[in-house]
Amino acid sequence: MLYTIPDYYRQFHCVAGACEDTCCAGWQIVADKSALRQYKKVTGEYRKEIRAGVDWKEGAFRQDEEKRCYFLNEDNLCNMYTALGKKALCKTCKRYPRHIEEFEGVREMTLSVSCPEVAKILLQRKEPVQFLIHEDEKEECWDDAFDPFLYSLLADARTMMIQILQNRELSLNLRTGLVLAIAHDLQIRIQKQEIFDGEMVLEKYRTEKAMDYIKGQIAKLYTEEEKHRFYEFMTETFRDQYRLERLRDNWEPHLLEAEQWLYGKGEAHYYELRNAFEGWMAEKMPKFEIQKEQLLVYFLSTYLCGAVYDGHAYSKAQMAVVSVLLMQEILMAQWIKNEKERMSMKKLSIFMAALFVFMLFAGIRPAYAAQYNLDFEETAESVYMVNLDTDTVVFEKNADERRSPASITKIMTMALALEMCQYLCDGAVLYLERV
């Protein structure tokens, strides 16, 4: 088994109640089966608290009206940990903010920057991130559906993308453009199932000709037509955030205020603000370019290879870029709100960490996602429509509410039956064994 970690992995230490936020509120903590069995065996004075704090049907910890974990006290410390010790924690609580991506023979471990302490480590770092590798003799059985050739291509592409992003002799715009171009061309090969031609894509973008082409494409972005398109894209993408799940109720008014600051006076005013903000950041916080680099590396290193499961490599690269763009937009709104005064590095780190909490757990949609004008009336109690080609939610209504499976049960039964059937004759199914 091969294990990889970023070189800052072991720098993290939980500060518990001293943290500016808490990881025990805003979302429900699901306990693993082993932990639930352990909780049922608890005796003594704390048994009653365990029984009251666990939703046994859901296999999760109960929450109060503010969505705080039942076991979280006013000092943001865990009462269960205090009473029963570290061994009593479920896997979710033991691991967070550690994050694991699993592939055949590979475990990629990182730290989630939704944790403020992790965000500080990353945002205050100047050196390019390196990835450490460890190997042991463990082996595992893996699903035959796993495509090792696609994974190998994605891993090679990711290595090249990270090397490009960390080449600080190039502008960050050029580095980002190269990464998106590589991901775009790889996506075409994936969709055409031409995986073995993927290496040709990587070779192409190692040439000066490819770099000159991307430079030319970036230069076109400064025309009035392209600036208008970018403005429309940013306003639409910013508003997409209202459709995402929010962990904090105060995020929507914050977004509404930020939208007004940024886009409320039109395109010309937006570019005046953007130019002033970029100039201010270059003078007062030149490290911000490095921070954006670190963020892009974080998103790509963590999520790109997950395309081996869904085939959406380009969407994952777009997600990385759009996430950083949106963070910069909201930071610019905060700068405007502060009347363009200096923000300390500590304040910047805390504010960026808060953005991570919102964006990572809400799930930023892929960039340039298609916009849909749906001309129909829906009468169903719940609706959830997805464009599988773009991995975009087209329409949803009460998508998170529990419903009876109804005819979905019949559809699932038929799907399983067809998978089990050995023969199909003229549209009729011949059953040779019990399904």
Side-chain angles (χ1 to χ4, degrees), residues 329-398:
E329 290 289 284
I330 298 176
L331 187 62
M332 182 166 72
Q334 187 71 17
W335 171 75
I336 298 168
K337 183 178 179 179
N338 288 355
E339 297 181 350
K340 305 173 186 178
E341 294 177 357
R342 178 178 177 82
M343 289 184 286
S344 68
M345 184 56 65
K346 179 179 180 181
K347 185 172 183 179
L348 176 65
S349 298
I350 293 172
F351 186 73
M352 292 291 281
L355 292 181
F356 284 132
V357 173
F358 170 65
M359 292 184 168
L360 293 184
F361 282 90
I364 292 299
R365 294 170 57 211
Y368 294 98
Q371 302 297 309
Y372 298 89
N373 294 314
L374 302 177
D375 186 19
F376 66 85
E377 291 185 6
E378 41 76 26
T379 58
E381 293 183 354
S382 290
V383 181
Y384 192 73
M385 297 173 60
V386 179
N387 183 331
L388 296 180
D389 293 329
T390 61
D391 197 24
T392 303
V393 177
V394 177
F395 179 77
E396 62 179 291
K397 172 187 174 183
N398 300 328

Side-chain angles (χ1 to χ4, degrees), residues 65 73 78 90 94 107 134 172 220 228 238 247 287 297 321 327 344 362 368 379 388 414 421 430-431:
E65 294 179 353
N73 63 31
C78 177
C90 64
K94 286 179 181 177
R107 293 292 181 274
H134 167 70
L172 188 59
K220 294 178 182 178
H228 177 67
F238 193 94
L247 301 182
K287 188 182 174 183
V297 169
V321 175
M327 290 175 191
S344 68
Y368 294 98
T379 58
L388 296 180
M414 181 57 68
C421 288
L430 177 63
Y431 293 93

Side-chain angles (χ1 to χ4, degrees), residues 238-272:
F238 193 94
R239 288 165 185 160
D240 278 344
Q241 295 177 96
Y242 298 116
R243 302 171 61 187
L244 305 177
E245 179 185 359
R246 291 179 295 278
L247 301 182
R248 302 288 188 271
D249 292 336
N250 63 349
W251 262 110
E252 182 163 339
H254 178 79
L255 289 176
L256 287 167
E257 182 184 51
E259 181 184 354
Q260 186 61 31
W261 282 118
L262 293 168
Y263 316 114
K265 295 183 180 180
E267 181 176 341
H269 185 69
Y270 168 79
Y271 276 110
E272 287 180 12

Side-chain angles (χ1 to χ4, degrees), residues 88 198 282 286 301:
S301 64

Side-chain angles (χ1 to χ4, degrees), residues 94-118:
K94 286 179 181 177
R95 290 177 178 175
Y96 183 80
R98 298 161 189 87
H99 176 84
I100 302 175
E101 292 286 323
E102 298 186 352
F103 306 101
E104 183 176 8
V106 180
R107 293 292 181 274
E108 297 184 351
M109 297 180 287
T110 188
L111 298 171
S112 174
V113 287
S114 59
C115 168
E117 290 303 307
V118 176

